[in-house]
Amino acid sequence: MSYKIITDSCANLTDAQIEEYGVEIMSLKYRMGEKDYDSYIKDEKTDFSVVYENLRNKEKITTSLASREDCDKVIKPVLESGEDALVLSFSSGLSGTYQNVRLAAEDYSEMFPDRKIIVVDTLCASMGQGLLVHYAVKLKKEGKSMEEVAEWVESNKLSIVHKFTIDDLFFLKRGGRISATSAVMGAALGIKPMLHMADDGKLYVVSKVRGRKAAIEGLADSLENNAIDIKNQDAVYIVHGDCEADAKTLADIVKKRYGVKNFVINCLDPVIVSHSGPGTLAIFYLGKER
C-alpha cells in the first residue's frame, strides 16, 4: 500500500531535501508582534532574516505547537487521496505536537477506516529529527513497508546524537534554564554551555567551556568515541543559528579529523531558535549513545 512520510517544520530539512524526499511538512507557528507566522510554507523559499534580527535585538518571539487545524491541512489530504501516513513528530519532551497529532490520528482512523496512520514520537529535534526522516525516506525507497520503516525508526531513534552549543546565555536565562546571575557572570567569562538531547527527548547542559573556539572543538570532539562507523554514514548534519561560517568551520574540523565526506548544513527555524538564540550551533550523527 502506498504511504506518505510526514514530519513537521522543526525537522529543519532543507528546501532541497523536502523536494527530493517528497515528504509533507506540518508547520509550527511563531508570533512576532501581533502577527502569527508559519515556519514553513510549501513551495516558498525560507528566509528568516527578520526573525534573527529581532532576536538579536532581544525581542521576544513566542511559539506554538501543531494544532488540529495544522493536522487537517497536511495529514487529512494524504488519507483522502488513498495513501496511508507515517508521521515522524517533534520530540514530546519539548512540545505537545506529538500528543496533538496522536489525538488527531485517532479521529482519522474512524473517519478513514480503510487507511492506516502511524505516529512516532521521534524524541528528536531540529536536524536530528531531519536525519531520522532521511533514513526513513531511504528505507521507503528501498521498498520497506510503512510498518517496517516505523519499526526501524522506533528501534534507532535513540541513536541519533544531538550535540550543540549556545552562544548567548540571555536565551537560556529567559527560558529559565539558568539564573540571571549565572548569565551575567557566564557572559563576562566567555562561558559557552554544551548541551545534548537525552533519551527522554529533553535538553540538558552537560558541560561548559571558555570561548566559542573551544565550543566548536567540543562539538567535534563528541564524535571521537561515540560515532558509529562515521566515515560510512550517509551524512553528518549541522544546523546553525545564522552563523554559517562557524558551521563550515565545524564541518572542516570533522572532515579532517574523521574523514567524513558528506554534510548537510542548514539554518535553524524560528520555533527552535527563538528558544536557543542566534549563534546556536549543533551537530547530529548516528552514535552508540546520545
Side-chain angles (χ1 to χ4, degrees):
M1 181 62 67
S2 175
Y3 65 96
K4 180 77 73 171
I5 294 177
I6 300 168
T7 191
D8 54 70
S9 54
C10 285
N12 289 171
L13 292 169
T14 67
D15 293 336
Q17 285 178 305
I18 293 171
E19 181 177 359
E20 177 188 349
Y21 294 168
V23 296
E24 297 293 333
I25 306 293
M26 286 190 299
S27 178
L28 274 69
K29 292 180 172 59
Y30 60 99
R31 188 174 184 83
M32 292 192 302
E34 300 300 318
K35 187 175 180 180
D36 292 325
Y37 300 85
D38 284 308
S39 287
Y40 172 79
I41 301 175
K42 190 171 184 177
D43 298 325
E44 287 192 16
K45 185 174 177 59
T46 53
D47 180 9
F48 304 137
S49 55
V50 175
V51 173
Y52 279 94
E53 180 181 355
N54 287 348
L55 287 173
R56 287 193 170 95
N57 291 330
K58 302 300 189 284
E59 294 185 28
K60 189 171 179 61
I61 295 176
T62 57
T63 62
S64 59
L65 44 75
S67 66
R68 175 55 186 267
E69 181 182 2
D70 297 319
C71 295
D72 286 347
K73 286 180 180 177
V74 178
I75 303 173
K76 194 174 179 182
V78 170
L79 303 173
E80 289 174 335
S81 72
E83 290 188 293
D84 295 335
L86 172 58
V87 185
L88 305 182
S89 178
F90 185 32
S91 173
S92 64
L94 299 176
S95 169
T97 292
Y98 165 72
Q99 286 81 357
N100 276 3
V101 174
R102 184 174 54 80
L103 290 172
E106 292 175 2
D107 289 344
Y108 297 149
S109 294
E110 296 181 3
M111 296 168 63
F112 305 97
D114 295 329
R115 301 273 63 80
K116 292 181 180 179
I117 178 170
I118 300 175
V119 184
V120 177
D121 177 6
T122 67
L123 296 175
C124 292
S126 185
M127 291 195 86
Q129 182 181 340
L131 183 57
L132 199 60
V133 172
H134 162 82
Y135 282 110
V137 169
K138 183 179 180 181
L139 289 170
K140 181 186 176 185
K141 289 181 177 179
E142 291 173 358
K144 301 296 184 183
S145 69
M146 183 171 75
E147 291 79 7
E148 288 173 320
V149 174
E151 182 179 357
W152 186 93
V153 169
E154 286 285 6
S155 298
N156 290 274
K157 62 188 183 184
L158 297 184
S159 296
I160 305 293
V161 181
H162 304 54
K163 300 291 184 183
F164 66 105
T165 185
I166 288 176
D167 193 48
D168 189 341
L169 297 176
F170 167 84
F171 292 91
L172 285 184
K173 177 183 74 68
R174 187 158 71 181
R177 292 187 177 274
I178 61 174
S179 67
T181 301
S182 295
V184 171
M185 292 183 63
L189 295 172
I191 298 298
K192 306 298 177 185
M194 308 297 293
L195 302 91
H196 85 132
M197 175 81 81
D199 288 354
D200 61 3
K202 297 180 181 180
L203 304 176
Y204 297 93
V205 177
V206 292
S207 63
K208 299 173 184 177
V209 297
R210 294 279 295 271
R212 182 68 165 180
K213 182 177 179 181
I216 295 173
E217 289 282 350
L219 293 176
D221 290 344
S222 73
L223 284 76
E224 185 70 41
N225 298 309
N226 192 31
I228 300 172
D229 191 17
I230 191 63
K231 287 184 179 180
N232 294 313
Q233 289 190 24
D234 287 357
V236 167
Y237 281 27
I238 297 174
V239 72
H240 62 90
D242 199 28
C243 52
E244 187 175 9
D246 286 346
K248 290 180 177 179
T249 295
L250 175 58
D252 287 342
I253 295 171
V254 171
K255 181 178 181 179
K256 291 175 182 176
R257 191 182 298 181
Y258 306 108
V260 173
K261 300 179 180 66
N262 300 314
F263 296 87
V264 177
I265 299 176
N266 200 19
C267 191
L268 272 172
D269 73 289
V271 169
I272 293 180
V273 80
S274 65
H275 298 285
S276 63
T280 301
L281 186 63
I283 190 166
F284 310 91
Y285 54 90
L286 289 174
K288 299 172 187 176
E289 61 181 14
R290 283 195 167 183

